[in-house]
Amino acid sequence: MYLVKVYVTYKESVLDPQGEAVKGAVHRLGYQDVTSIRIGKYFEIKVTASNGKTETDVQQEVEAICDKLLANVNMETYRYEISLLEEAAV
């Protein structure tokens, strides 16, 4: 079984109003050295390695899921990490 960690954030060219609001709150708490905060989404996806599925197959599936559902590719970018889980840890 594979564990995929997906991180979705706004593209650098897109204004992040939530991040700006949090940055303002952080400044009000006295942390003036904070210059930028970006808000994003985090997903953990477990994929069964059935039928001889390789990491490349998982990669293709994850990219399709991200492009079609998890990220708005016009405004957001994503990255992911794939790791093989030990069967005992599942």
Side-chain angles (χ1 to χ4, degrees):
M1 179 171 289
Y2 293 95
L3 173 64
V4 184
K5 297 177 181 180
V6 180
Y7 306 88
V8 180
T9 56
Y10 282 118
K11 292 180 178 179
E12 286 296 323
S13 61
V14 175
L15 177 66
D16 182 358
Q18 279 184 301
E20 289 298 314
V22 171
K23 184 178 80 171
V26 167
H27 285 177
R28 286 189 296 281
L29 290 172
Y31 301 102
Q32 299 300 320
D33 292 338
V34 175
T35 59
S36 176
I37 295 180
R38 306 282 291 176
I39 302 291
K41 298 178 275 190
Y42 171 73
F43 302 90
E44 284 189 359
I45 304 169
K46 289 183 180 173
V47 181
T48 305
S50 61
N51 300 325
K53 187 176 288 185
T54 66
E55 188 170 328
T56 302
D57 297 328
V58 173
Q59 209 172 15
Q60 291 172 345
E61 284 185 7
V62 168
E63 289 188 17
I65 291 168
C66 289
D67 286 340
K68 293 177 183 177
L69 179 66
L70 301 183
N72 176 344
V73 294
N74 294 318
M75 297 174 50
E76 297 172 316
T77 185
Y78 62 87
R79 66 181 174 84
Y80 55 88
E81 303 165 359
I82 300 175
S83 57
L84 187 59
L85 288 177
E86 298 291 328
E87 290 303 320
V90 178

